[in-house]
Amino acid sequence: MELQKEKNRIFAVDNSGKLVAEITFPDAGNGLVDIDHTFVDDSLRGQGAAGQLVEAAAKQIASDGKKARITCSYAVKWFEKHEEYRDILVD
């Protein structure tokens, strides 16, 4: 899966251009973003695609010097298992 990056969005498309994976983290003001949506197409389920998306977003957010809040249920669970990225989260 080749991830593509846009401002506040990381995604992947298949060979036909169909969206198969996406995470969004729109600006929420004052250097804060909201990780609000993670999507993985059925064709990629069980292959770790959602985790790759969240990790890529966490790295991007850290690189941008921003902090994150999480309203996406999958991302909440992911961050619970990955303490090494929790420093980007707001308390």
Side-chain angles (χ1 to χ4, degrees), residues 30 41 60 63 65 71 79:
N30 297 323
D41 187 77
Q60 184 65 50
S63 173
T71 56
F79 276 96

Side-chain angles (χ1 to χ4, degrees), residues 34-47:
D34 179 12
I35 302 173
D36 66 348
H37 169 74
T38 305
F39 160 76
V40 175
D41 187 77
D42 288 342
S43 65
L44 294 176
R45 293 273 163 93
Q47 298 176 37

Side-chain angles (χ1 to χ4, degrees), residues 1-2 4 11-21 39 41 43-44:
M1 180 173 75
E2 184 177 332
Q4 300 178 46
F11 65 100
V13 296
D14 66 11
N15 292 336
S16 68
K18 175 186 171 192
L19 181 69
V20 293
F39 160 76
D41 187 77
S43 65
L44 294 176

